[in-house]
């Protein structure tokens, strides 16, 4: 759909930087004082601000005294993998000798500490179960473990229901009783804070004798998991990501992260949040989407580069297969979308709810995200739970202004037993329904959505930071913007707009549009538009255009040039 191009409003008027461009960017992102831009570890919120953290540390130290067995139960996405790896490494560094982990199989066991996973934990002879990036909705699995006298420590960041599980301790910044200032921690961030609190107590009690582990070495994992989970980059998360990126760029990171950067042809020394989000994380996620995320965890805990490279190669191959599945599924989904009333009737408020029996369960989340982006409508893609199952698993993605988990909760209240289980965040959620209820769910989703959102909110908008001056079209500006981050969710990377003459257009790799453009100041610039809509471009009739872009640095065969990373382009008949 055609998107409106609008400039971001200025949200604050404080002086935040001596550089006029940076000052404008920070003001439009709601920064209220220069202190909010600090990125040092000293400015992190304290672990003790998390509710129940002392109780959690008590549980861990009890286990350490007897060297009981801890089993970490993670999740099958990148946040879950980094959380699992971080906790495993951290506990071992802190002297826990019997630590193991389990990652649920997406296809046979589903999300979280289910009954099936709890039975596997029991078979491992665990004394304490520690969940990372899950557990807040694992009622039945936790009840089974408690019935067998196991201790259960939940660390999670997903929104809790009114009822809480029967765990011995729970750490989650989104618990009602938790006053932790940042509600946006990823699962890996929560796990990192637990390790900090544990080390702090052990330091007080004289455990280390001058040989204390440096937990800051785990920040590479925190940065990767935080960016991959697309949580809002408030100041606390920006500090975590910045510090992790600094270590990655200096080469002080896991062998697995180095290997993933190598295979995705990214320069470690120049790695940015976009590289973590669009190159490293998808390859890591491919393990959980198509096989088992244990492969990803093994990569992240690998200490040998040869082993890490072999595992990275396997993940890269899986990611290529994932792309092929995704492309095929998207083609089929677009054919379905062409017939949906919610998309053909512009006045109708409705979402996109799709299902095809042969869709791959591990790829439906990406498919929902692609459809949501294309039509600017909340989207849910369903796949069959298994060949023999009567149930459908859905992955949901939302747009700004519509809280997906709240929407599902409202449906669950209005239509009891329609949704068998659900959970998630404002922008993403998962759910299960019976296959016979698909059409009923489609209707309920549209009806409920219409109660929560206005037609105007379904108009896609691209927000820009305005135009650049002639002196700002240079490599130093692009470098300055890279250094001013990290940029990400709710702290968006700078995006600019301007009028350009289009001098050349050609396709690269049969899917990217390469352009030569001239700006209003007479400067010639290279531009690239990735994964362009081939039904529209190249369009040689366009001679002048309004382009929305990011400033990018292109390095090729030793040459370094400024280029525009195109996001949107619209024909603009006259350029002055």
């Amino acid at each position: 759909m055609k998107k409106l191009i609008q400039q971001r409003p200025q949200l604050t008027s404080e002086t935040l930087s001596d550089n006029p461009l940076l000052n404008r960017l920070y003001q439009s992102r709601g920064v209220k004082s220069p202190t909010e831009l600090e990125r040092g570890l000293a400015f992190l919120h304290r672990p003790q601000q998390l509710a129940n953290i002392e109780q959690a540390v008590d549980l861990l130290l009890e286990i350490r005294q007897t060297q009981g067995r801890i089993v970490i139960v993670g999740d099958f996405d990148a946040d879950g993998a980094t959380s699992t790896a971080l906790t495993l490494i951290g506990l071992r560094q802190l002297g826990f000798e019997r630590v193991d982990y389990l990652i649920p199989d997406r296809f046979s066991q589903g999300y979280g500490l289910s009954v099936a996973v709890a039975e596997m934990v029991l078979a491992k002879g665990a004394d304490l179960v520690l969940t990372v990036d899950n557990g807040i909705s694992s009622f039945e699995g936790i009840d089974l473990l408690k019935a067998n006298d196991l201790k259960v420590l939940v660390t999670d960041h997903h929104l809790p229901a009114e009822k809480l599980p029967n765990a011995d301790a729970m750490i989650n910044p989104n618990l009602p009783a938790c006053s932790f200032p940042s509600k946006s921690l990823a699962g890996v961030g929560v796990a990192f804070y637990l390790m900090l609190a544990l080390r702090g107590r052990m330091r007080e009690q004289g455990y280390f004798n001058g040989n204390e582990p440096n937990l800051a070495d785990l920040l590479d994992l925190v940065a990767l998991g935080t960016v991959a989970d697309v949580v809002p980059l408030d100041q606390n998360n920006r500090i975590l990501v910045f510090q992790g990126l600094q270590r990655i760029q200096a080469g002080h990171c896991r062998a697995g992260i180095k290997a993933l950067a190598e295979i995705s042809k990214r320069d470690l020394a120049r790695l940015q949040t976009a590289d973590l989000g669009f190159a490293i994380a998808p390859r890591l996620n491919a393990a959980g989407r198509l096989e088992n995320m244990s492969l990803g965890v093994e990569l992240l805990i690998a200490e040998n580069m040869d082993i890490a490279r072999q595992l990275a190669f396997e993940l890269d191959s899986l990611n290529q297969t994932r792309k092929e599945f995704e492309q095929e599924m998207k083609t089929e989904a677009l054919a379905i979308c062409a017939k949906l009333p919610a998309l053909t009737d512009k006045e109708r408020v409705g979402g996109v709810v799709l299902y095809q029996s042969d869709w791959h369960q591990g790829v439906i989340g990406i498919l929902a995200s692609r459809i949501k982006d294309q039509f600017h409508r909340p989207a849910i893609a369903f796949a069959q739970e298994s060949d023999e199952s009567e149930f459908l698993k859905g992955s949901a993605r939302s747009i700004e202004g519509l809280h997906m988990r709240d929407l599902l909760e409202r449906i669950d209240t209005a239509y009891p037993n329609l949704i068998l289980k659900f959970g998630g965040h404002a922008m993403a959620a998962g759910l299960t329904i019976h296959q016979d209820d698909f059409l009923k769910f489609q209707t309920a989703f549209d009806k409920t959505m219409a109660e929560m959102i206005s037609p105007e909110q379904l108009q896609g908008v691209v927000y820009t930071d305005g135009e650049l001056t002639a002196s700002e079209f240079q490599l130093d500006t692009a470098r300055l913007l890279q250094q001013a981050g990290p940029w990400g969710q709710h702290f968006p990377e700078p995006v600019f707009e301007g009028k350009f003459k289009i001098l050349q257009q050609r396709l690269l790799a049969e899917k990217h549009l390469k352009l030569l453009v001239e700006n209003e100041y007479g400067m010639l610039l290279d531009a690239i538009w990735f994964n362009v809509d081939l039904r529209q471009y190249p369009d040689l009739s366009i001679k002048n255009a309004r382009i929305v872009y990011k400033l990018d640095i292109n390095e090729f065969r030793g040459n370094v040039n400024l280029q525009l990373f195109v996001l949107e382009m619209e024909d603009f008949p006259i350029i002055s």
Side-chain angles (χ1 to χ4, degrees), residues 81-271:
T82 52
S83 302
T84 302
L86 181 146
T87 310
L88 191 71
I89 295 166
L91 288 174
R92 288 174 177 172
Q93 287 180 342
L94 292 167
F96 290 77
E97 296 173 3
R98 302 172 68 203
V99 188
D100 200 354
Y101 75 92
L102 277 173
I103 303 291
D105 183 83
R106 179 193 292 266
F107 312 105
S108 62
Q109 295 168 325
Y111 168 77
L113 180 51
S114 62
V115 170
V117 174
E119 289 171 345
M120 292 175 67
V121 168
L122 291 172
K124 281 183 171 285
D127 298 294
L128 180 142
V129 178
L130 168 57
T131 72
V132 290
D133 193 32
N134 76 95
I136 203 67
S137 58
S138 300
F139 301 100
E140 294 177 355
I142 291 174
D143 285 344
L144 176 59
L145 295 177
K146 294 304 301 173
N148 283 272
D149 298 322
L150 268 69
K151 299 288 187 181
V152 179
L153 168 53
V154 169
T155 73
D156 202 349
H157 70 125
H158 294 93
L159 297 174
E162 289 186 18
K163 177 187 174 186
L164 295 173
N166 181 32
D168 293 277
M170 283 177 286
I171 308 172
N172 183 335
N174 289 299
L175 288 173
C178 186
S179 58
F180 192 74
S182 169
K183 303 301 180 184
S184 301
L185 281 177
V188 70
V190 179
F192 180 67
Y193 266 94
L194 175 59
M195 294 301 102
L196 289 179
L198 177 59
R199 185 189 62 178
R201 178 82 69 81
M202 293 176 70
R203 178 192 294 154
E204 291 171 5
Q205 296 182 3
Y207 273 84
F208 298 121
N209 296 321
N211 192 26
E212 180 178 310
N214 182 9
L215 295 184
D217 288 341
L218 301 174
L219 283 165
D220 57 342
L221 294 170
V222 180
L224 174 54
T226 299
V227 172
D229 216 45
V230 203
V231 293
L233 289 192
D234 59 12
Q235 183 183 8
N236 205 69
N237 278 338
R238 290 202 304 276
I239 294 171
L240 292 171
V241 172
F242 175 77
Q243 292 291 333
L245 270 175
Q246 292 282 95
R247 285 160 173 77
I248 293 171
Q249 291 166 355
H252 300 315
C253 62
R254 309 296 115 191
I257 293 178
K258 290 180 182 177
L260 286 174
E262 276 183 14
I263 206 155
S264 57
K265 297 180 173 57
R266 294 304 196 273
D267 180 1
L268 205 66
R270 300 197 312 119
L271 211 72

Side-chain angles (χ1 to χ4, degrees), residues 62-77:
E62 285 174 18
I63 292 293
R64 192 185 186 281
Q65 287 169 6
T66 61
Q67 286 300 349
R69 179 178 293 279
I70 297 176
V71 175
I72 301 163
V73 176
D75 187 19
F76 39 64
D77 64 2

